[in-house]
Amino acid sequence: MHNITSPRTDDGAIEQEIKAKGLTAPRITPADIEANIAEEHYFTAQDGVRGNSGQGDKIHKWVPPVGQSLSLLTFCVLIMRNGFTVTGESACASPENFDADIGKKIARANAVQKIWPLMGYALKQQLAGN
């Protein structure tokens, strides 16, 4: 596989481009998204299994090889100001590359991407007078 650098398409870069072009109509901004996030929570699939297995720390005694993959799957749960929840996830193919902080960043970014259409719909409803 090759590492290919792509143009910057993150939310901040797009917002900068919108501003640079003088586009001023109502829109959702990255700041709007962040302002609507009340809480954020992170855990791995393994954390979830342990928390709900009823076995507590007993699961530490033996984890089947497939179960080890659960520690490479990171979830982010964002709770919006209105109480709605949005989730994101990040899975790491190679255990050697797993980094909890990177997994959390990717999972959060994936959750945030799900907020855009929700807030966009709400803005459109507001603009339509509904």
Side-chain angles (χ1 to χ4, degrees), residues 73-87:
L73 176 58
T74 304
F75 292 98
C76 172
V77 178
L78 300 178
I79 302 175
M80 308 307 291
R81 285 191 349 225
N82 67 3
F84 192 75
T85 57
V86 180
T87 62

Side-chain angles (χ1 to χ4, degrees), residues 37-50:
I37 297 172
E39 296 179 30
E40 52 189 80
H41 302 276
Y42 301 91
F43 57 94
T44 65
Q46 189 171 47
D47 295 336
V49 168
R50 285 182 181 153

